[in-house]
Amino acid sequence: MKKLNPQQFLAVRHTEGPLLILAGAGSGKTQVITTRIVHLIKDRQVPAENILAVTFTNKAAREMRERVASMAGKSSEGIIISTFHSLGVRILRRDIRSLGFKPNFSIYSSSDQAGVLRQAMRERNIDPKQCDPDSILWRISGAKNRLVGPYEFKPTSDDRIELATASVYPRYQELLKGFNAIDFDDIIMLSVKLLQSTPAILEHWQKRFSHIMVDEYQDTNASQYLLISLLAKLHGNLCVVGDDDQSIYGWRGAEVRNILNFEHDHAGCRVIKLEQNYRSTSSILDAANSVIKNNQLRTDKALWTALGKGREIDLIVAGSEEDEAAKVVESMLMEQFRDKLSWSDLAILYRSNSQSRAFEEKLRQERIPYVVIGGQQFYERKEVKDAIAYLKVIDNPSDEASLLRIINFPRRGIGDNTLVRLNQWSLEHDLPLFQTLARVRDIPDISESSKKAVEAFHAMMRGVMEGFKNIRMGEQVNALFNRLRIEDELYRTLNDASQARKRIENIEQVVNSLAVYEEQNPKGTLSAFLERISLLDEDKPNEDDKEHGRDAVTLMSLHSSKGLEFSHVFLVGMEEDLLPHKRSIEEDPTVAEERRLCYVGITRARRHLTISRCRTRRKYGAVEQRNPSRFLDEIPEHLLNSEGGEQQEGAKDSDSMAADFFAQMLGENSDQ
């Protein structure tokens, strides 16, 4: 208790009645939660088995249990510190018979779910080629998180996937029940259903938990909110901890109003704000406060620190994404040398995973170790491999692995049976597969429609190869991808617009990468470009090195960065249509969640923050002008390092940073 600041102390001591702890970034909330639990056990004499603490990840729950055990010893035995889903499983194992299941029910994995869904689709005569099963599962998951059952689900439009979901969802649930199985999203939905439908079961759990604490409350969805409300209703001793300014998961069902309305939903609620930050310098926090205060619907609070002002925030203005990557990596090398940092002290944070491409390439060129967290490396992504496969076949029609990858992408009616016959005929006649395509009329047991599709594909690729020149390669490839209508294929097969857009952005980056290569190598060839990519692939980090914690620079999306911290953070792509993202601007003109995402990114930095943006970016190879992010305008100029080339934008170019760095180093060593 002596280690707590005054507000933390108040939060620990308040143990009766509803309590809302608004815990800003880096304000020591985990210490408050664990100390509060120990205070309940040791000082308030609350039996450990009557205490429930809920969080979102197994890692957070495990760390909390270990801390409590180290402070309270054996007296903490019996306490439940778990994730929402672990709590739900505990409730269901005891009483799920009331819902017609056996206690030994199975929890199906995503692959098991897919098998059940496909069976339900077959029974409902729904073609998976027309309605993507993953998109249907995504809609079912969203419905369950909103506590919408299979017979309550109503299509919101005439969208094909919506209609298919309404048809399949009831049968999917029937099949699960027949297998005595539930899926991951059933855990909370069925727990709520059980408590609502059986008063005796609800009373048992309400009596069991006299004191309940919930961490990261701003991330709760409708079903989690109701589950906790039901359990806490008897005793009313509910403590929730969170920060509405860090609510960034609205796209997956989190409802920020759960924390904003908590005080109004619980009479007599005490509100305590934890505003002292133990992580960052005041320059970083002042920038974060200046951005987040522009959100209208939020609780009023402002982070502060006793750690001192620290350095100003560097702003890099680059000409292009390649220039941005070069300047960021150059700055990173200087920071690492000057401050004697480990590579793991450095992180590059971006809004969209497609942005990683330029940084990955530059880091590999400089032989700097890195890991990509929360996403595949750029050239390992399926849609990127598909796009590169087209380039490989154009360059080398004998590349049969690449040819087989693209022959039915986008889908053109060339099925597996046709591919088997083509391969067999190719082997029997010792003829390359690409040449075999031209002889499809000579091959038996292939349908007329498939023969026409093979002929059309072969003719198209022949035409592309004959017309392809090692000049304006980016434009030629862009024209090919437009002709293939890959965007339409992704929207049609995924039926999840956000996922489709992410994959389209990655394909754009392939065209951009080729265009940049061509610009930098006027005599370059497609073969040389593909060779360069292959060498980059050979240089990629080992699979064993992907675990976070290796001494390597971390690349990750802003969404993946929540809960983490780094000594030096590079927040890149601070531009309109990237941060805030174009899609979010269209959906919410106030861009409140995007502003919270920017706030999360800024507050990941402990000692220093660098922000970068581009004046231009490529879209399918074409150069587009870019505008600074509105969030950048919200940061006061005095917080930004405004020396260098673009003072009116608070920008510092890399030459100026290098000059300052070496001047500083010479000054430090002037006596040697």
Side-chain angles (χ1 to χ4, degrees), residues 486-587:
I486 291 177
E487 287 193 19
D488 293 346
E489 171 76 358
L490 290 171
Y491 277 118
R492 182 171 62 252
T493 55
L494 292 173
N495 281 293
D496 176 355
S498 63
Q499 286 297 319
R501 278 190 287 262
K502 287 178 183 176
R503 297 192 183 189
I504 290 166
E505 287 173 359
N506 289 333
I507 292 173
E508 285 179 17
Q509 286 294 331
V510 174
V511 180
N512 294 345
S513 182
L514 179 55
V516 169
Y517 168 79
E518 190 174 15
E519 189 177 275
Q520 295 174 345
N521 302 273
K523 295 183 179 180
T525 64
L526 183 59
S527 296
F529 172 73
L530 293 170
E531 180 182 310
R532 177 173 172 270
I533 289 175
S534 298
L535 291 174
L536 287 175
D537 271 352
E538 288 178 5
D539 250 358
K540 69 188 179 185
N542 296 326
E543 292 295 317
D544 293 341
D545 294 334
K546 286 189 177 180
E547 285 297 316
H548 185 62
R550 171 181 175 249
D551 187 22
V553 175
T554 300
L555 276 68
M556 65 190 345
S557 71
L558 286 165
H559 282 103
S560 298
S561 73
K562 186 169 175 293
L564 301 177
E565 58 183 68
F566 302 90
S567 177
H568 289 49
V569 166
F570 294 80
L571 180 52
V572 301
M574 186 72 93
E575 302 147 33
E576 287 293 298
D577 295 342
L578 261 183
L579 184 62
H581 198 278
K582 182 179 181 180
R583 181 178 68 251
S584 299
I585 297 172
E586 293 168 353
E587 294 174 355

